[in-house]
Amino acid sequence: MYNHLNDILVNEQFGFREKSSTDLATYALLNTVLLSLDKKKNLVGGLFCDLQKAFDCVNHDILLAKLEFYGISVTANKLMRSYIKNRYQRVVIKDNMFNKLSSKWEPVEHGVPQGSLLGPLLFLIYINDLFRTLSSVANLILFADDMSIIISNIDSQEFKNNIISVMNETINWFQSNLLTLNCNKTHFLQFMTKKQNEMKIKIVVSNTIITNVNCTKFLGLTIDSTLSWNEHIVDLTSKLTKATY
């Protein structure tokens, strides 16, 4: 069953998978951006989305329905139901005298079991169909709950419209699956050649304006609008200096 679930994951998902890595995810993102920029006068932008407590917000009934859709049905689905439902948890701490203090047991009503082998895989299954929602208008790069969406178009108005459309489709998908986008940590970055000028694009989600940035973090790398790596070198130099002295 574990191998079957792994086989149905989209190729654009690089997290928690055998023979996959942050290096491959980074290559996929940069290659997508560069290929798009190579097209004459193409406009390219990236939505770098932050999900709020994604692993803890997985709805059990929706997850079980998706597992059934992917072929985990009847007995196997009942087994998964018994694995994720009717679980309890509590918090145990020690006071100043090293006496154990604990809260009462409470049911875990949503989320995947963390610290387990199946937990991350179940989350990947949960968000697997997001790719099919956006694939016709954008390129998606996923690393578990790190989600980056690359949009490109030669026409400036269509480019803006596609960005708004992709953002709306993404929000609708999140709402349908009871996940929440952290708008304050979600950014839009326009990638440009030296001959292009930045466009002013206003993206509003739930009365919150998505910040336009000149650089952003992606799996430990600082990526800027022209892919110059200057910002990444500055960040790396600062960290190395602190580690050395």
Side-chain angles (χ1 to χ4, degrees), residues 10-227:
V10 294
N11 293 330
E12 288 72 17
Q13 175 61 261
F14 295 90
F16 300 111
R17 302 186 69 181
E18 189 177 355
K19 298 180 181 179
S20 191
S21 64
T22 55
D23 291 344
L24 290 176
T26 302
Y27 172 79
L29 177 81
L30 297 178
N31 190 53
T32 300
V33 171
L34 289 170
L35 287 176
S36 298
L37 286 173
D38 278 345
K39 296 177 182 178
K40 190 176 181 181
K41 297 182 180 179
N42 219 18
L43 298 166
V44 185
L47 285 164
F48 294 83
C49 302
D50 183 84
L51 287 173
Q52 192 168 304
K53 297 182 179 179
F55 282 76
D56 295 327
C57 294
V58 170
N59 180 276
H60 293 161
D61 292 325
I62 295 176
L63 174 59
L64 289 167
K66 292 189 179 191
L67 287 171
E68 186 170 10
F69 173 80
Y70 289 125
I72 306 301
S73 56
V74 197
T75 303
N77 197 277
K78 289 180 180 179
L79 180 63
M80 294 306 301
R81 177 180 291 273
S82 69
Y83 178 67
I84 63 175
K85 278 185 170 286
N86 299 317
R87 297 174 72 95
Y88 287 77
Q89 66 181 15
R90 65 174 180 172
V91 177
V92 179
I93 61 173
K94 290 183 179 180
D95 63 12
N96 295 333
M97 302 300 294
F98 299 100
N99 297 312
K100 284 187 177 181
L101 304 173
S102 61
S103 65
K104 63 179 182 179
W105 289 100
E106 295 286 354
V108 180
E109 297 178 346
H110 41 70
V112 294
Q114 296 191 40
S116 64
L117 185 66
L118 271 178
L121 179 57
L122 291 174
F123 177 77
L124 300 188
I125 292 295
Y126 195 79
I127 64 169
N128 196 55
D129 57 297
L130 174 60
F131 168 77
R132 292 172 177 81
T133 302
L134 303 176
S135 59
S136 62
V137 291
N139 295 101
L140 194 64
I141 295 93
L142 297 163
F143 194 92
D145 59 339
D146 280 315
M147 185 176 70
S148 306
I149 309 168
I150 305 301
I151 305 105
S152 63
N153 202 291
I154 195 170
D155 181 80
S156 60
Q157 190 57 52
E158 285 191 21
F159 179 60
K160 290 181 180 180
N161 292 341
N162 285 348
I163 292 168
I164 302 301
S165 174
V166 165
M167 194 76 262
N168 289 336
E169 288 289 340
T170 303
I171 292 298
N172 289 339
W173 187 91
F174 285 157
Q175 291 175 345
S176 297
N177 289 273
L178 304 182
L179 296 176
T180 304
L181 181 71
N182 188 338
C183 296
N184 293 321
K185 292 184 178 180
T186 295
H187 303 133
F188 174 76
L189 172 63
Q190 184 182 344
F191 295 99
M192 299 173 288
T193 63
K194 293 180 179 179
K195 295 181 180 180
Q196 288 178 319
N197 296 318
E198 184 179 1
M199 296 179 62
K200 298 300 180 182
I201 300 174
K202 186 177 181 180
I203 308 169
V204 181
V205 176
S206 301
N207 298 320
T208 301
I209 297 175
I210 301 299
T211 307
N212 284 253
V213 295
N214 293 318
C215 65
T216 191
K217 288 284 188 181
F218 177 77
L219 300 179
L221 297 177
T222 303
I223 298 177
D224 60 48
S225 58
T226 58
L227 300 181

